[in-house]
Amino acid sequence: MKPKIELRDVHKSFGAKHVLRGVNLSVQKSESMVIIGGSGTGKSITIKSILGLVRPDKGEVWVDDIRADKARGKQRDALLNKFGMLFQGGALFDSLKVWENVAFRMRRRMSANDARDMAIEKLRRVGLGPDNADLFPAELSGGMQKRVGLARAIADDPEIIFFDEPTTGLDPIMSDVINDLIREVVVEMGATALTITHDMTSVRKIADKVAMLHNGVIQWTGPVGDLDTCGDPYIDQFIHGRAEGPIEALR
Amino acid sequence: MLSLCRATGALVLFAAQAILHIFTPPYYGREILRQMLRIGYFSLPVVGLTALFTGAVLALQIYIGGSRFNAEGVVASIVAIGIVRELGPVLGGLMVAGRVSASIAAELGTMRVTEQIDALTTLSTNPFKYLVAPRILAGVLTMPILVAVADTIGIMGGFLVGVNRLNFNASTYIANTVDFLQAGDIISGLIKAAVFGFIITLLGCYHGYNSGRGAQGVGTATTNAVVSASVLILAANYILTEMFFSA
Ligand SMILES: Nc1ncnc2c1ncn2[C@@H]1O[C@H](COP(=O)(O)OP(=O)(O)O)[C@@H](O)[C@H]1O
Ligand SMILES: [Mg+2]
């Protein structure tokens, strides 16, 4: 079956720093793929190169039948309309109210009242009451901001959703709530999901498939059920969180 | 030297892109109004005070200089011409550069660092249209209004000193101001103001949009915005004055 998203030999450097060194990855439609890997290995850059926020130096990015890294103008607009993204830090617009954040994409084609009602419905979906709608993002706790970011990402029922470290910085209970929400929206909406995390609990909860990024390439990829039995030394070191192994820990 | 050329090229490209987006839809009317309020209304106190004291000092200095060849009568007209042609737009521009370039650079820089600019793109909104174009348009539209108000206050500053301190006759002072001021003086000053408004907002947006990573990146962007906007204002002022002089 033709993948929904496919990266072929994607390279990206910043100055002398060669971050991505030939990433190959494919995600099938309605599949939940999770990328794991240490901090600074280029997980966010990988996602950003799919969205065109970062231009790869070499390689191809395909979304459906479109070269995403080459798309311009109308084609790129159409492409971006398929995506929802939850950023690592939330990236909420701090000059706008919570509901205006959630309804941001819809605001241009709806009246203010409709957009607000829709936003409140999406907020409810992520477990936030309507009393939060008129607050500003700075007035919310970190976990609530993540949820607003989640509501914004799913607001327009995207075909593809990216989650960049959705549970980092949250307490275990809030993490579990977010994981459940992610699983729920993916299953309910039938969306294709790509999640970045280094939280193994999240991985087991969210993932259909797992890919491990290390040294600028995907070291291993396979179904989540194979994680414990695959015998890959990188995976083994990562899921057990050991300092010794093929992944060099910087100290 | 090479890096200066590259920076200039990047700035020119940025400006061209911004201008293109100012003239093509969609337009964000609410954003433009918000920015006009921020640039114009909230700069009024500082620009007004600057103009007031400048007009007052100018009246004193010209009186001292003028009295050496017994020409106190010229105080009113020189204050008016000096303020309207030169000091109103330039000092107003520099004060607004300190205030507005810095705050735009800090705002856009923070948005860059916290991925809000990336978020705009993924929400199908062009950051040039939504962030840069409204700010630059607001700068170009608002600065002339701001400077017109500053000119009035500056002339009033001169008037207050002239009448109260130097014991000029009030109606003669006003008559001298009005008689000597020509439309060209006012228009050239307001054109300068519009150009300075463009420079101030452009440099704020450029440095903020291209801000480096982390809090340090935003700090550097803010400083660079103010410094480069101020220098460019003074350089543009010379070029514009040369052009008006020849015209
Ligand atoms: N805009 C940039 N300029 C320079 N270096 C960058 C930039 N963005 C990311 N990097 C570098 O690329 C590497 C990978 O970044 P990232 O994808 O954010 O890592 P992570 O896997 O933690 O998400 C990091 O070492 C980072 O320092
Ligand atoms: Mg990251």
Side-chain angles (χ1 to χ4, degrees), chain A residues 13-15 17 19-20 37-48 54 88 164-165 196 198 213, chain B residues 115 213:
Chain A
S13 300
F14 292 101
K17 199 170 191 173
V19 180
L20 302 183
S39 302
T41 47
K43 304 184 297 297
S44 297
I45 295 298
T46 303
I47 276 197
K48 285 183 181 174
V54 162
Q88 200 165 334
D164 194 348
E165 305 203 8
I196 292 174
H198 28 227
L213 186 65
Chain B
E115 300 184 305
R213 285 147 35 102

Side-chain angles (χ1 to χ4, degrees), chain A residues 227-239:
Chain A
L227 267 184
D228 298 298
T229 52
C230 67
D232 183 277
Y234 291 92
I235 291 286
D236 196 56
Q237 185 187 354
F238 195 84
I239 63 178

